[in-house]
Structures are given as structure tokens and as C-alpha cells.
Amino acid sequence: MYRFFFGLSRLMAVFGGFILSALIVMVCVSIAGRSLNGFLHADMVQAMVPGLANWLLDIGIGPVNGDFELVEAGIAFAIFAFLPYCQITSGHATVAIFTDWLPERPQQFLRMVIEILFAVVLIVIAVQLKEGMDSRIRSGQTTFLLQFPIWWAYALSLAGAAVAACVAVYMAIVRTVEAFTGSVLIADDLGAEH
């Protein structure tokens, strides 16, 4: 079971990383296009090479249309895509000042409580995203510039949130078994500590 959830989490993280990388490239292209567009409109360039400047402007040199709309939708998905991997590898940042001195069993109990709370919160988030998506489908809302339906962004985020919720429930079950048996089923040493 662990292999399935770990593989699914890793796949989501890779897909989220791909989307995030594409967004970074798009933002860089948009910023370069916006700068070049401003340069081509400059009086000096229009005076020196008006034909070339106007030709470049006519072919569409400028910012990516709707870049902020794409970034908004893509970043939301990327965040939810990274959550399952973070959850299954115990990658959430922890501050263990008050718990490092505790024996192993109370620490296992604390990990169980935290995983259960994470699972509840991620389930609530997924349910709310589903309700938000249904509302956007009914209203027919679209983005301002690109005119794509807003529910598409909700659907992408919901996919990531649903996987995150499933992984969180799995981890809550694992940590509960660990707390009541005293065994270690999944190592907790992969997390980030601050």
C-alpha cells in the first residue's frame, strides 16, 4: 500500500513541478515580451528603425496574454500537487523544541494526532474545492482575458487536493497503527526540521 501512495505522491509532485516550471518560463517570456514591447515603442527605436519595430509589434511581441490568470490557476494546482509527497515523506516543517525530550511513545501519539488533523483539514479543503467548482460550473464564470471557465482551475486544484486527502488519510491510519502498536511502519526522519 505504501508503494502505491508513495508512487502516486511522487507522480503528483513531478506533474506539479512540470506545471511550475512551465509557469516560470511563461512569466520570463511575458516579462521579456513586455520589456521588448516597451523598447519597440520608444521614440528612439521608432525614429531609427520604424519598419522593423512596427513589424515586430505587429507579429505580437509583448507580454503573454492572460499570464496572471494562468499563473493563478497553475500555482494553485502546483501547491496541491506537492502536498501528497510532502505528507507521505513527513516533509512538513516541524519545530520540535517542546517534543524532542519526550519518549518515543508520546511522540508517536503526537504524530498520530497531527496526521489525523492534517487528514481532516485536507478532506475539508477538498470538499470546499468541490463545492466551489460546482458553484463556478453553475455560474458559468470565465476569466477576464482568456475567457476560460474558472471551474477548470478548481478542477485541477481539486485533483491535487483529493490525492492529498487520500494520502493524508493513509498516513493517519499508519500513524495510528504505529501509536497503538509501538512499531515504526514508515520512517519519520525524512521531514524538514527547523
Side-chain angles (χ1 to χ4, degrees):
M1 192 69 126
Y2 174 76
R3 288 180 123 173
F4 170 76
F5 282 110
F6 184 79
L8 181 61
S9 300
R10 203 159 82 175
L11 180 66
M12 288 296 292
V14 167
F15 194 50
F18 174 75
I19 296 296
L20 190 59
S21 297
L23 290 173
I24 290 168
V25 169
M26 183 203 60
V27 167
C28 291
V29 167
S30 186
I31 290 169
R34 185 173 284 114
S35 297
L36 188 55
N37 185 286
F39 176 74
L40 293 172
H41 276 98
D43 291 337
M44 178 186 72
V45 174
Q46 286 292 327
M48 291 175 55
V49 284
L52 176 63
N54 289 331
W55 177 76
L56 288 171
L57 290 169
D58 288 343
I59 64 169
I61 297 293
V64 173
N65 189 31
D67 55 351
F68 63 91
E69 294 172 352
L70 295 171
V71 167
E72 185 177 29
I75 291 293
F77 168 74
I79 290 168
F80 285 111
F82 295 137
L83 274 176
Y85 188 75
C86 192
Q87 190 73 26
I88 203 160
T89 61
S90 300
H92 297 291
T94 60
V95 181
I97 295 171
F98 301 110
T99 59
D100 276 347
W101 57 271
L102 291 174
E104 183 60 28
R105 295 287 281 195
Q107 285 188 17
Q108 284 181 323
F109 180 77
L110 187 58
R111 279 194 295 270
M112 175 192 74
V113 170
I114 290 168
E115 292 289 351
I116 290 170
L117 289 174
F118 262 122
V120 169
V121 167
L122 288 171
I123 289 168
V124 168
I125 288 171
V127 168
Q128 291 300 313
L129 275 170
K130 171 73 168 90
E131 289 178 12
M133 183 184 76
D134 291 343
S135 172
R136 296 312 177 271
I137 290 172
R138 285 190 303 274
S139 71
Q141 283 181 297
T142 61
T143 61
F144 182 69
L145 294 174
L146 297 178
Q147 296 293 305
F148 69 79
I150 291 178
W151 71 265
W152 291 357
Y154 276 79
L156 284 173
S157 296
L158 178 59
V163 172
C166 290
V167 170
V169 168
Y170 169 72
M171 289 303 294
I173 291 168
V174 166
R175 297 301 182 209
T176 301
V177 169
E178 287 179 348
F180 285 107
T181 64
S183 62
V184 176
L185 301 175
I186 298 176
D188 196 29
D189 59 355
L190 298 173
E193 292 191 28
H194 303 281

